[in-house]
Amino acid sequence: MKILRMNENIKNMFKELKREFPEDFGSYFGVEAMDYERNYDNDPDFDETFLCELVICYRRQTVRIRRYSEHDWEIEDENYIKSEYFREIGKILSIVMKHLGRIEFI
């Protein structure tokens, strides 16, 4: 029997990001989440409590958020972030962190 996992926080995060960035989402902006089992957010086996990596791409700027333990995370950019995108990337990170902060990680 397959156990259905609740991923409400990730779903709500995507809804809020799409609402805040309606023109950009999908064309200039995307977010991808992966759990420790290497399931992506669109996979039925994805489990947000096992989230290990989140990749945010905004207008050719990429930010990765990786988990090393239950409470230890790293945020890095793949290339230098252009100052013209500071405000938007800051807003994106604020939304992401708000929803990640609601997850009870395993």
Side-chain angles (χ1 to χ4, degrees):
M1 180 175 173
K2 189 173 192 167
I3 298 172
L4 295 175
R5 294 174 175 88
M6 295 303 294
N7 295 304
E8 288 304 313
N9 296 297
I10 295 294
K11 289 177 185 176
N12 290 336
M13 178 188 73
F14 279 113
K15 285 179 191 175
E16 185 173 352
L17 290 169
K18 287 177 185 177
R19 184 176 62 247
E20 292 296 320
F21 296 90
E23 297 87 28
D24 291 339
F25 208 89
S27 56
Y28 298 110
F29 175 38
V31 179
E32 190 172 78
M34 184 176 66
D35 67 19
Y36 278 119
E37 298 294 321
R38 306 204 63 61
N39 298 310
Y40 289 90
D41 53 85
N42 60 354
D43 188 317
D45 292 328
F46 175 78
D47 185 343
E48 70 181 22
T49 63
F50 290 114
L51 179 71
C52 70
E53 184 174 67
L54 197 78
V55 179
I56 302 163
C57 298
Y58 181 79
R59 297 191 177 262
R60 297 188 179 155
Q61 309 296 295
T62 302
V63 176
R64 288 185 185 277
I65 303 171
R66 290 187 181 124
R67 178 163 66 147
Y68 289 100
S69 68
E70 183 179 353
H71 302 290
D72 295 325
W73 296 80
E74 176 183 49
I75 300 174
E76 67 180 1
D77 59 1
E78 284 192 3
N79 43 16
Y80 297 106
I81 296 175
K82 295 181 181 195
S83 58
E84 64 193 88
Y85 300 127
F86 280 176
R87 177 195 248 164
E88 291 88 354
I89 291 174
K91 186 174 183 179
I92 292 165
L93 287 172
S94 178
I95 292 168
V96 167
M97 295 309 184
K98 175 177 72 175
H99 292 281
L100 293 186
R102 296 175 178 159
I103 299 172
E104 292 184 36
F105 294 107
I106 295 175

